[in-house]
Amino acid sequence: MAVAGAIIGAAVGGWMNDRFGRRMAILIADFLFFIGAVVMASAPNPALLIVGRVFVGLGVGMASMTSPLYISEASPAKIRGALVSTNGFLITGGQFLSYLINLAFTNAPGTWRWMLGIAGLPALLQFILMLLLPESPRWLFRKGREEEAKVILRKIYPADDVEKEIQDLKESVEAEIREEGSAKINMMKLLKTKTVRRGLIAGVGLQVFQQFVGINTVMYYSPTIVQLAGFASNKTALLLSLVTAGLNALGSIVSIYFIDRTGRKKLLLISLFGVAISLGLLAGVFHETTSHSPMVSRIQTSHFSNYTCPDYSSATNPGAWDCMKCLKASSPDCGFCASPTDKLLPGACLLSNDTVKDLCHDESRLWYTRGCPSKYGWLALVGLALYIIFFSPGMGTAPWIVNSEIYPLRFRGVCGGIAATANWISNLIVAQSFLSLTEAIGTSWT
């Protein structure tokens, strides 16, 4: 529901940016986010919790396309890319920090209320600080408020450069106004204007591919992926997902350094090449894990005689069963209790419930319900780490930077909103299909 709200927020945010300015759009996003956090923390039932999620989503969607736009228009040209990349670093650094904060609240009374409610504090802080910041000078020029824009530009640029910047900005805006005329913006006008149409293909394309290379699968489901690779413990999976979030933040720092030195396109190409190699490695590891999983032992299973998996009991050829076949059993679900001496030796195929899980753990055995024991599990972690290291500096930040730069000023808010909406729709498709795909075609193909 939060992602669905973000789709609407990004779509409305584009229009709001052009109508009321970048600063006002961020203030409204902060207000929505704060309201959402308060509603979630105080929700007496699931319905109100979902309403809070939608509010948060609206704020996130609006901010996701407005922040890079505002930063790029209120920054000196030579450090513009680095500053928009810093926005990416603070998002990924914030995700890492939120993992740690949530970890700290796991033992507090009213656990989830604290986790969700405390998210309102950064929104409130940013709302107050945004009141002290100026509007985008480009937007002010566009609206004919030249004197206000000049005052802001004199604060941004050194005295030697400021007059040239004012002149360049004025000429750029006047040229765009002459070229576009005064007709209202609509979808047909966007698509008929060649520069805008080509910009939208590039901008929307980058945002869609950013999601379709699977980043949010990794961010949302990293504990699940770690378990699919053969790590049984929930706690281990959560701690390893912290590493994923940390590497994502680290990659954003790399982007800050290289984005203005190497250019956007070269960084994107290196990033995509590395992502493809990493996903290839992950697919290979998962194929190996699923095709060489430990066998099911009749002796080990009969040790837990009252809890044998029904599908295994009624199988015509139980000797061919391995761990993966056991985990795929349904109605009811089954789990694999590894051998007590070596997790790679044949184990037991049992009913999957908390009682059986505890029985398995009581005998110092590992209990598997998502993935099977594997000697290659560590290689999956390497693949996951490489994926994040390659993705974050290029595909992680460059699509937002490119979208804040490539459109003519008059169309910048609307086109940025369209691209951000495409990003969130793609995000929703990937997030909703990942677990279903792993069930249908297996982890290596997914």
Side-chain angles (χ1 to χ4, degrees), residues 39-49 112-113:
V39 168
M40 287 191 301
S42 57
N45 55 53
L48 214 57
L49 188 67
W112 60 270
R113 293 189 188 275

Side-chain angles (χ1 to χ4, degrees), residues 158-178:
D160 304 342
D161 302 341
V162 72
E163 291 309 321
K164 182 181 181 302
E165 286 298 329
I166 289 171
Q167 194 55 37
D168 287 350
L169 186 56
K170 190 174 180 181
E171 287 170 10
S172 159
V173 171
E174 285 172 355
E176 281 176 1
I177 290 170
R178 280 197 304 275

Side-chain angles (χ1 to χ4, degrees), residues 79-96 210 215 219 243-262 267 271 385-401:
I79 57 163
R80 185 172 296 145
L83 286 178
V84 179
S85 287
T86 305
N87 177 58
F89 163 65
L90 293 172
I91 290 170
T92 52
Q95 286 173 340
F96 179 71
Q210 184 197 60
I215 181 58
M219 294 314 292
V243 176
T244 309
L247 286 171
N248 201 15
L250 190 68
S252 304
I253 300 173
V254 175
S255 174
I256 294 167
Y257 183 79
F258 283 108
I259 195 80
D260 289 316
R261 287 173 173 80
T262 61
L267 203 58
S271 177
L386 280 175
Y387 173 86
I388 292 290
I389 288 164
F390 278 109
F391 175 90
S392 189
M395 284 303 285
T397 51
W400 296 104
I401 295 166

Side-chain angles (χ1 to χ4, degrees), residues 163-278:
E163 291 309 321
K164 182 181 181 302
E165 286 298 329
I166 289 171
Q167 194 55 37
D168 287 350
L169 186 56
K170 190 174 180 181
E171 287 170 10
S172 159
V173 171
E174 285 172 355
E176 281 176 1
I177 290 170
R178 280 197 304 275
E179 189 183 317
E180 294 153 9
S182 59
K184 277 192 169 184
I185 295 173
N186 58 49
M187 204 63 201
M188 287 309 296
K189 186 169 175 61
L190 290 181
L191 296 175
K192 280 179 183 174
T193 311
K194 189 180 178 184
T195 50
V196 180
R197 185 174 68 248
R198 291 173 69 185
L200 269 175
I201 291 167
V204 170
L206 277 175
Q207 293 287 31
V208 168
F209 279 106
Q210 184 197 60
Q211 293 302 321
F212 280 2
V213 297
I215 181 58
N216 279 314
T217 300
V218 172
M219 294 314 292
Y220 299 158
Y221 297 114
S222 53
T224 305
I225 292 169
V226 168
Q227 287 182 321
L228 289 169
F231 291 86
S233 160
N234 281 334
K235 194 170 185 181
T236 306
L238 276 169
L239 287 171
L240 288 170
S241 67
L242 262 178
V243 176
T244 309
L247 286 171
N248 201 15
L250 190 68
S252 304
I253 300 173
V254 175
S255 174
I256 294 167
Y257 183 79
F258 283 108
I259 195 80
D260 289 316
R261 287 173 173 80
T262 61
R264 285 59 163 148
K265 186 177 175 182
K266 191 183 286 185
L267 203 58
L268 280 165
L269 288 170
I270 294 166
S271 177
L272 283 167
F273 176 75
V275 161
I277 297 293
S278 309

Side-chain angles (χ1 to χ4, degrees), residues 321-332:
W321 274 52
D322 62 6
C323 169
M324 282 313 298
K325 195 165 177 67
C326 174
L327 298 192
K328 285 179 180 172
S330 58
S331 62

Side-chain angles (χ1 to χ4, degrees), residues 30 33-35 37-38 101 105 114-129:
D30 285 332
F33 199 95
F34 179 76
I35 294 294
V38 171
I101 291 167
F105 278 122
W114 283 104
M115 289 180 187
L116 296 172
I118 203 164
L121 293 180
L124 183 62
L125 180 64
Q126 183 171 274
F127 184 90
I128 294 162
L129 293 174

